[in-house]
Structures are given as C-alpha cells and as structure tokens.
Amino acid sequence: MGADITALVIGATGNVGPNVVRQLIGEGVTTRVLLLADDPRAGRLPDEGVEVFHGDLADPDSLLPALDGVESVLLMWPFFTLNVDTAPAVLERIERHARRVVFVSSIGVHIGYEHTDNNCHAYLEGLIEKTGLEWTFLQTTGFTANARLSYAQQIKAGGVVRSPYGTAARSSIHEEDVAAVAVRALTGSELAGRRLVITGPEVLTQIQQVEIIGEVIGRELSWEDVPAEAALEAMVGAGWPPAYASGALDYFAMLTEEPELITTTVEEVIGRPPRTFREWAVEFADDFR
Ligand SMILES: NC(=O)c1ccc[n+]([C@@H]2O[C@H](COP(=O)([O-])OP(=O)(O)OC[C@H]3O[C@@H](n4cnc5c(N)ncnc54)[C@H](OP(=O)(O)O)[C@@H]3O)[C@@H](O)[C@H]2O)c1
C-alpha cells in the first residue's frame, strides 16, 4: 500500500506535519514537503528521504513545482497568519495535479461552532467539496501539543498555571494519531468523502491535564483561573487574531458546561486506540522541566 505514490505535505514543520512525513516515509511513500521558511528543516524533519520544495499558500503559483507529479496532498491552512483569499486558487492548482486532498480541519465544524462565512475550517471544507478531488476532512479536537504552548512556560517559571476556564473538559488528540489517520487517507481511497471526527480517548479538564503533567515530572502544580477578559487581552497581545481569540474563549466557556465528545474514529481507522494525555506528557516531559 502507498509505496508507489507521491504525497505532498503542506505544514510539514507544524505539529501534525512532521509526524505525517515520518510515517509516510516509513510506508515507502515518495514524500515531498512544502516549506515557507528559509531554514528548510527547522530540526523537525528527517535529514533524508524528503523532497524539499519552497512555496507559499499566499502565492498559489509558487506551489506548482511541488505539485507536479503528486497524487495526494495534506493541506492545512495557517489561519492565524494568512487569510483565505488565496484558498480558491490554491485548490485549483492542487486539483490540476493531484487526485486527493486530506485537510486538517477542526471539530468546530462538526459541532456547528464554525460558520462558513468567515476565515475558518468550515469555509475551506466548503471550497474543497466543490472541487473534483477525492477529499477527507480530519475534524480534530485540540492537539495535545497545545499543552506545551499553554502551560510549559508557566510550569517552568514556578508551577502555577494562570489561564481561563480550568474546568473546560477536552478530549485532546495526540498529533501523531492525527497524522496516522492522515496517512491512511493520503495513501488510499477508502476514506474519500469522509468527515472524520478525531478525538483523544478521554475527556480531561485543563486542571486535570496540569495535574497529570505534575505527576509525570514529579512536581506539585496548581491552577489559577484568570478572567476571560484578561486572557483575551493577553492572547491578542501575543498575536492571536481577535476574532479567533474570542471564539476560542467562548468555546472553552462552553466546555465547562458541556465536555467535548469522544469518538472511536482513530481506532477504527488505524486499528489501535489513540494515545492518552499521560502518554503524551511522558513523551514530552522534558519540555516542562
Ligand atoms: N492546534 C490545534 O489544537 C488544532 C485543532 C484543530 C485543528 N487544527 C488545525 O491543524 C492545522 C495544523 O496545525 P499544526 O499545529 O500542525 O501546524 P501550525 O503550527 O498551525 O502551522 C505551521 C505550519 O504552517 C506552515 N505555513 C505557515 N504559513 C504558510 C504559508 N503561507 N504557506 C505555506 N505554509 C505555511 C509552516 O511552514 P514553515 O515552517 O515552512 O513556515 C508550518 O509548517 C492548523 O492550521 C489548524 O487549522 C489545529
């Protein structure tokens, strides 16, 4: 399976992309990456076995060399830094060359939290559906890697995590498991036309996630809720687009009342359950020490 195809990974230096690249190579797939940055591998890609192309989703024609001869494309959209103005032209270029596209989407689409009239996953899904490509949407919950982003600095600085909505209950997904599902979709047609709702195996509040990290690194950690308004200000200050920041906070508020759902999709597709948050924390414990 897979060995005789060429796949292009966009977002290859993010959280999901490097895992997709490693797994594709492991399956013998000819693997290309599209890199925006000059420092091509940023320490996140294997030294060998990857064909490196440079291109920018903001400049659709820049993707053409990477797309020439490709069968499957892993697409993600960097909504934080790029609006969707060029998305129709990017998809037209992909459709011209490839047979299938796998889009890293969000559970926000599944639960109806996103609307198609703004810069979001739902809008991209709508565009992709209108192409003649075989598509698969990975409607994922938050990545476990978000814990590093949200907590690591504060844990290292003193052990008190100050953040909003500590009781927001999430079914975070290990990015390697998202990648494993992506690889199945990239290397065959059996997942074509599927909207796969991808979650971790358990629901944990943010406070529980921090407790687990504390157990793993052998330190007592604590949580202090901060008001949403202060969090919004900090997020916007850190570069979040304001609409994204307030949307994320509204979603977290909702999750204090109504925990995120759990699906069995990962196990159905890859034949084993997704990894737990504790497994992720053990794997990346040094990031919190
Ligand atoms: N984080 C979550 O919890 C979550 C939850 C649900 C869905 N998602 C979706 O998952 C997607 C993938 O997330 P991720 O964490 O793996 O990656 P990410 O950190 O969101 O994105 C970084 C990647 O995007 C590439 N990139 C940025 N701007 C680009 C441009 N203009 N043209 C081409 N490539 C560009 C970067 O390439 P260079 O390094 O070369 O600059 C890097 O590889 C997200 O975009 C989001 O839509 C995320």
Side-chain angles (χ1 to χ4, degrees):
M1 176 187 8
D4 56 352
I5 70 161
T6 299
L8 172 67
V9 178
I10 297 175
T13 60
N15 290 299
V16 173
N19 291 296
V20 174
V21 169
R22 271 193 298 279
Q23 294 178 36
L24 284 172
I25 292 170
E27 299 220 357
V29 173
T30 304
T31 304
R32 295 181 179 176
V33 295
L34 183 88
L35 297 180
L36 176 68
D38 279 341
D39 174 10
R41 291 161 201 272
R44 307 211 64 192
L45 295 171
D47 290 331
E48 290 182 0
V50 189
E51 298 175 8
V52 176
F53 291 78
H54 284 90
D56 186 343
L57 290 166
D59 174 9
D61 280 338
S62 71
L63 273 66
L64 291 173
L67 287 168
D68 189 23
V70 145
E71 169 142 346
S72 301
V73 176
L74 181 82
L75 176 67
M76 44 74 64
W77 200 270
F79 293 101
F80 274 66
T81 50
L82 184 66
N83 67 35
V84 289
D85 292 352
T86 55
V90 164
L91 287 170
E92 190 277 325
R93 305 309 187 269
I94 293 175
E95 188 179 4
R96 222 191 278 170
H97 291 275
R99 172 173 170 184
R100 66 177 73 91
V101 65
V102 177
F103 174 54
V104 188
S105 183
S106 164
I107 195 165
V109 181
H110 174 73
I111 61 175
Y113 194 73
E114 287 191 358
H115 302 287
T116 52
D117 57 355
N118 57 11
N119 186 35
C120 67
H121 300 94
Y123 171 74
L124 259 286
E125 286 194 6
L127 287 183
I128 294 167
E129 276 180 292
K130 290 193 196 100
T131 69
L133 289 154
E134 285 181 8
W135 52 260
T136 306
F137 301 148
L138 309 181
Q139 297 177 330
T140 83
T141 51
F143 304 156
T144 36
N146 293 350
R148 185 189 297 113
L149 203 64
S150 307
Y151 315 140
Q153 212 178 348
Q154 298 192 70
I155 288 174
K156 286 201 249 189
V160 183
V161 176
R162 294 180 180 87
S163 202
Y165 302 120
T167 56
R170 305 217 60 185
S171 52
S172 306
I173 174 81
H174 194 307
E175 36 290 342
E176 206 172 317
D177 293 330
V178 178
V181 176
V183 168
R184 293 273 65 76
L186 288 164
T187 54
S189 293
E190 65 271 21
L191 297 175
R194 300 275 307 273
R195 296 172 170 77
L196 299 171
V197 182
I198 295 177
T199 78
E202 65 204 332
V203 166
L204 294 169
T205 65
Q206 300 197 87
I207 293 170
Q208 288 169 324
Q209 289 188 339
V210 168
E211 279 168 5
I212 289 172
I213 293 168
E215 286 162 20
V216 166
I217 64 171
R219 277 177 58 203
E220 197 156 324
L221 306 175
S222 59
W223 181 282
E224 256 177 41
D225 252 17
V226 301
E229 303 74 45
L232 178 64
E233 205 174 305
M235 288 159 86
V236 172
W240 284 58
Y244 252 80
S246 60
L249 288 168
D250 289 349
Y251 185 53
F252 273 68
M254 189 183 90
L255 294 178
T256 63
E257 308 281 332
E258 197 181 322
E260 218 161 32
L261 73 159
I262 295 177
T263 67
T264 52
T265 309
V266 172
E267 183 156 13
E268 281 158 25
V269 173
I270 65 170
R272 63 156 177 81
R275 290 165 176 81
T276 62
F277 185 81
R278 185 177 293 274
E279 286 175 284
W280 180 88
V282 168
E283 196 179 335
F284 294 103
D286 284 348
D287 293 352
F288 297 93
R289 288 195 169 108

